[in-house]
């Protein structure tokens, strides 16, 4: 049986529950992080902790757990369940600071996703408070469901002005010549992997443009890709069924969790 | 100890919980209704059932419980806990159609709220899928918290174009001469009480204009009010600290749940 952490205490995963009468649950008043344990080490733990704190602050919750607390809880859970490669989810609920940590097998994707690219769709909508990882995720759910119903891997969100901001669970990039485009920080989730992608791109002497691009201009770019903690950098093969100009093989350009470089 | 219903079965309220590992919980993928038991009778049960079904449909969930199912569950809970005047909350979670019914004391407000009016604030934001009562309620939470921090009772939501659409948990109306203004159906929650307010207004020979009004024009109207199942029709005394032209005493105009008329 899997274990979990609730408010610093090891429990059985099945006891990691929220009452349906809780106002925080009823209002999606919570924030979360997902991070990886890789070969026994937590990846980018500081960054995930800082973002959790920032997400909490964004909805007026003061995170009462220190970095050392969270690290200790993660290690307790890792030891208890004998984990080595795994994904952990931290959920912080409401003003009461209810903290849950659960874990799951780390998702992995076929090599072909990186060499041949993935199909994506578009969906009109903007995440509320895009800088923060809150549980107010109905738009993302519906957009991704729509993509999956169409056999696609991810949906790109198009804002009210017709610009592509981000995917439902990924950041988005477009490459043209020597220039890498990604939406302005204020409009997207500040992905931990996005920081690394940008660093890596700079180290490759690419120019970074913090400009969102219009949905109708997608096909004029050399190549498109998305990134996330689980996906790393993944090329896009088609948008709404139409092939993009060129699929960039990110097998050779794959972002490494450790050194902040393209592998 | 209070009871609750889970998937048609009577349980202890403390067992009405959702796992934090549930994707539906993590994505606020659920819909709900709140309805009153008044003197032993469920008020507007058909309307609440239809709206629950419609909210579910709006996020691609097919409600698998019939009207008779829900009515039976409500009655089981009412009998078990010996209830006569109470508010019930129905929560329908995810594709799995997990159904919870819980209950609480019916909120009541001081008579002065109806005779003297309440203070409201404004908050910029639009509910996602406003026609449906989903759990994706973070905007409403934050807007109401902001109002309460300022000593106000409710927040009015202002959309991207500067129009007042609705309150965080109420519909909004403005009266000028013989004309009652309320935002177009497509932009707001289709409140059960709003149906009654509109019916009652028509019976009073008021003209109904389905036009939202600009935030900056609020003070040019004769009077403003809000409505909801728990509030009925409640006059607004001030907006962001500035008094409105006139407070309409809804004690004499209070909407009755039963006859669809102003009391």
């Amino acid at each position: 049986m899997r274990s979990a952490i609730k408010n610093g205490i090891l429990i059985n995963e099945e006891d990691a529950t929220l009452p349906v009468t809780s106002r925080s649950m009823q209002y999606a008043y919570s924030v979360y992080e997902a991070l990886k344990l890789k070969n026994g080490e937590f990846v980018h733990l500081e960054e995930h902790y800082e973002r959790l704190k920032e997400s909490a602050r964004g909805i007026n919750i003061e995170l009462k757990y220190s970095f050392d607390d969270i690290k200790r809880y993660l290690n307790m859970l890792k030891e208890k369940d004998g984990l080595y490669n795994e994904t952990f989810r931290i959920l912080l609920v409401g003003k009461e600071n209810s903290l849950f940590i659960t874990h799951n097998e780390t998702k992995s994707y076929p090599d072909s996703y990186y060499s041949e690219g993935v199909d994506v769709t578009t969906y009109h909508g903007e995440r509320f408070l895009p800088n923060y990882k809150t549980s107010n995720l109905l738009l993302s759910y519906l957009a991704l469901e729509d993509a999956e119903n169409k056999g696609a891997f991810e949906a790109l969100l198009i804002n009210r002005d017709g610009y592509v901001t981000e995917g439902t669970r990924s950041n988005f990039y477009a490459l043209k010549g020597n220039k890498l485009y990604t939406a302005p920080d204020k409009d997207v989730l500040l992905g931990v992997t996005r920081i690394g992608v940008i660093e890596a791109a700079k180290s490759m002497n690419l120019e970074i443009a913090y400009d969102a691009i219009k949905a109708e201009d997608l096909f004029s770019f050399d190549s498109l890709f998305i990134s996330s903690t689980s996906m790393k950098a993944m090329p896009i093969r088609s948008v709404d069924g139409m092939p993009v100009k060129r699929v960039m093989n990110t097998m050779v350009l794959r972002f490494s969790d450790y050194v902040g470089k393209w592998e």
Side-chain angles (χ1 to χ4, degrees), chain A:
Chain A
M1 193 193 300
R2 273 193 187 154
S3 306
I5 293 275
K6 181 177 178 181
N7 300 333
I9 311 289
L10 276 167
I11 58 171
N12 290 330
E13 189 195 77
E14 63 188 28
D15 296 324
T17 61
L18 281 174
V20 300
T21 51
S22 135
R23 185 169 159 81
S24 299
M25 203 227 69
Q26 293 173 351
Y27 280 77
Y29 189 58
S30 54
V31 294
Y32 72 102
E33 279 296 317
L35 80 163
K36 280 199 273 196
L37 177 76
K38 198 167 165 180
N39 302 325
E41 300 286 334
F42 290 103
V43 181
H44 292 311
L45 181 51
E46 290 83 357
E47 286 85 346
H48 286 289
Y49 176 77
E50 286 304 322
R51 196 170 59 179
L52 182 68
K53 198 170 166 179
E54 185 64 12
S55 293
R57 200 198 52 75
I59 64 170
N60 308 327
I61 297 171
E62 197 190 336
L63 179 61
K64 75 175 183 197
Y65 299 95
S66 69
F67 175 74
D68 288 340
D69 289 336
I70 302 273
K71 189 174 174 182
R72 192 170 66 248
Y73 304 154
L74 285 166
N75 277 307
M76 284 161 59
L77 187 52
K78 165 185 139 178
E79 297 301 327
K80 178 71 165 60
D81 284 2
L83 304 169
Y84 194 63
N85 283 296
E86 191 78 350
T87 295
F88 289 71
R89 191 176 202 273
I90 307 174
L91 176 70
L92 181 77
V93 184
K95 292 267 190 272
E96 63 270 33
N97 262 247
S98 290
L99 182 90
F100 293 90
I101 308 179
T102 52
H103 66 87
N104 267 297
E105 216 176 302
T106 295
K107 266 186 221 162
S108 71
Y109 301 102
D111 279 356
S112 64
Y113 282 29
Y114 298 94
S115 55
E116 294 164 26
V118 293
D119 302 309
V120 305
T121 52
T122 58
Y123 199 90
H124 287 266
E126 296 167 21
R127 289 196 311 117
F128 179 56
L129 304 176
N131 282 179
Y132 310 123
K133 277 183 97 75
T134 79
S135 301
N136 198 64
L137 288 174
L138 185 56
L139 167 69
S140 302
Y141 185 101
L142 295 175
L144 184 58
E145 182 183 60
D146 178 70
E148 289 176 348
N149 286 342
K150 292 168 178 162
F153 175 77
E154 172 65 308
L156 302 179
L157 300 176
I158 312 294
N159 74 8
R160 60 187 74 173
D161 300 316
Y163 290 90
V164 184
T165 53
E166 56 188 344
T168 67
R169 54 195 163 136
S170 60
N171 286 115
F172 171 76
Y173 315 83
L175 200 59
K176 188 183 260 179
N178 201 40
K179 212 164 174 179
L180 183 73
Y181 292 79
T182 190
D185 285 2
K186 70 176 177 49
D187 295 335
V188 300
L189 186 76
L190 302 173
V192 170
T193 306
R194 180 172 176 264
I195 298 169
V197 164
I198 291 168
E199 262 179 34
K202 283 180 182 167
S203 79
M204 295 167 71
N205 292 317
L206 293 178
E207 189 186 337
I208 314 295
Y210 291 92
D211 296 321
I213 63 175
K214 281 248 177 195
E216 67 236 40
D217 295 336
L218 281 173
F219 301 98
S220 74
F221 285 79
D222 296 339
S223 52
L224 310 175
F225 67 104
I226 51 181
S227 78
S228 79
T229 293
S230 75
M231 298 169 199
K232 302 186 178 182
M234 196 178 273
I236 292 172
R237 177 169 66 179
S238 74
V239 181
D240 292 332
M242 284 173 293
V244 303
K245 257 192 190 173
R246 202 174 65 209
V247 174
M248 177 181 60
N249 183 339
T250 56
M251 287 292 278
V252 290
L253 287 173
R254 199 181 315 173
F255 172 68
S256 151
D257 281 326
Y258 289 95
V259 294
K261 284 187 187 153
W262 304 81
E263 285 171 5

